[in-house]
Structures are given as structure tokens and as C-alpha cells.
Amino acid sequence: MSLFLVQTDNESDTEALGARLAAATRGQALIVFLCGELGAGKTTLARGFLRGLGHTGPVKSPTFTLVEPYPLAPRPVFHFDLYRLSAASELEDLGMRDYLDGHSVLLIEWPERGAQGRIVPDVEVHIQARDGGRRELRFSARGRLGTELLEGLRHFY
Ligand code: ADP
Ligand code: MG
């Protein structure tokens, strides 16, 4: 398992980190778990990731719809927020199986609400708030793809 620890000082730093993460994927399909308390910066990181891939519109946590699709090139990105998932079986209703087609990028906030143990991520990000606007982001990778991704991300720092 490969680890990468980084701190950001403000929201735009975290967005920039998300864009770098997107660049490091080099167009590959993957699954990212985004963990941390409300307000930690999960959506901010996802927004940076999406903007990095050329998305120009708003990016909000899909708290009520649970998933928001972004038809980007070279791959579609699906941004999940499972905070309000009431039962893990609801994942099936969401069509989660279809998203796990190996051709998409999945960014999943609150994976502990139903995805953990069912879906194996390539990268897990744990975000913790520190003093002021500082955030500590701990990236851990599983498997070859995740490990390569973190190596690519390290090159930006
Ligand atoms: P989450 O999705 O984890 O609930 P959001 O990304 O929606 O969190 O919100 C993060 C909040 O924290 C935003 O209001 C943002 O402005 C603020 N913030 C302050 N410092 C940072 C930072 N370093 N990185 C990300 N967000 C930050
Ligand atoms: Mg969020």
C-alpha cells in the first residue's frame, strides 16, 4: 500500500490538488473514496478534479440525488454523496452496478454509508481539518493503478 500526505492552506489549494489528481489519472478509469467530516473539503477536492478535466459549471455535493453524472472526455465521471443513503441495498437502486463498468471514474463521498466493503477503491482520501483553513489530506492507494496514481501525484509536489 502506498501513502501520500499533503496539506492545503485554503479552498483553492484543495481544488488545485483535485486537478492534479485528475491529471495523474491520465485518462484511466478509477474509483476514489472521499472520507472526512461535513465541511472537510471532499466536494472541494471533487470540484477541482472535475474542473481539471474541463468541467466549467458548478459542482455541488449531490446530497439528495446521491449521484451526479458529468459526461466528460475521455471518461464519464460520476460524483456520489452517500450521506443520505438509508440502506446499503439502495446502492443497487442507484444502478451502482452499471457504474462499476470499468470505464468510468467514480468519486464517492461518504463511502462508509454503504459502499465500503462492497466496492474496492483504487485510492482512498481522508481529509481532516486543522487550524484555520488548513486541511490534511491522506491518500492511500490499493493495487497497481492506485499506486501509480499516487506516484504521479507526488511529482506535482
Ligand atoms: P465536504 O464535501 O467535505 O462536506 P466541502 O468541500 O463542501 O466539504 O466544504 C469545505 C468547506 O471548507 C468550504 O466552505 C471551504 O470554503 C472550506 N475550506 C476552508 N479551507 C479549506 C481547504 N483547505 N480545503 C477545502 N475547503 C476548505
Ligand atoms: Mg460534500
Side-chain angles (χ1 to χ4, degrees):
M1 187 149 89
S2 154
L3 286 173
F4 176 58
L5 201 70
V6 63
Q7 279 201 3
T8 61
D9 288 336
N10 51 49
E11 183 171 6
S12 60
D13 267 11
T14 301
E15 276 202 30
L17 175 60
R20 288 166 175 177
L21 183 67
T25 67
R26 291 192 273 133
Q28 297 186 86
L30 85 158
I31 301 175
V32 181
F33 279 4
L34 300 170
C35 309
E37 295 302 311
L38 279 175
K42 302 178 294 297
T43 301
T44 303
L45 192 72
R47 185 181 305 116
F49 188 100
L50 288 157
R51 296 243 165 96
L53 294 178
H55 174 73
T56 52
V59 174
K60 289 200 213 115
S61 235
T63 310
F64 294 99
T65 53
L66 302 181
V67 58
E68 186 69 32
Y70 294 87
L72 297 170
R75 295 180 183 283
V77 179
F78 296 93
H79 179 202
F80 292 85
D81 177 350
L82 303 181
Y83 189 69
R84 287 181 190 277
L85 199 75
S86 46
S89 59
E90 260 188 68
L91 275 183
E92 304 292 325
D93 306 336
L94 270 181
M96 185 55 101
R97 216 168 276 282
D98 297 337
Y99 298 118
L100 295 169
D101 58 1
H103 296 288
S104 308
V105 175
L106 310 188
L107 306 177
I108 307 178
E109 296 188 35
W110 292 102
E112 48 278 74
R113 301 280 165 118
Q116 233 153 29
R118 295 170 170 247
I119 298 171
V120 181
D122 298 290
V123 174
E124 226 175 277
V125 191
H126 289 263
I127 310 179
Q128 270 200 313
R130 300 288 187 217
D131 303 344
R134 282 194 305 134
R135 298 290 190 271
E136 186 177 285
L137 297 98
R138 187 161 45 84
F139 291 76
S140 53
R142 234 178 293 218
R144 187 187 53 80
L145 177 60
T147 304
E148 279 175 13
L149 185 74
L150 292 201
E151 270 157 24
L153 187 60
R154 264 192 210 104
H155 281 131
F156 290 108
Y157 288 88

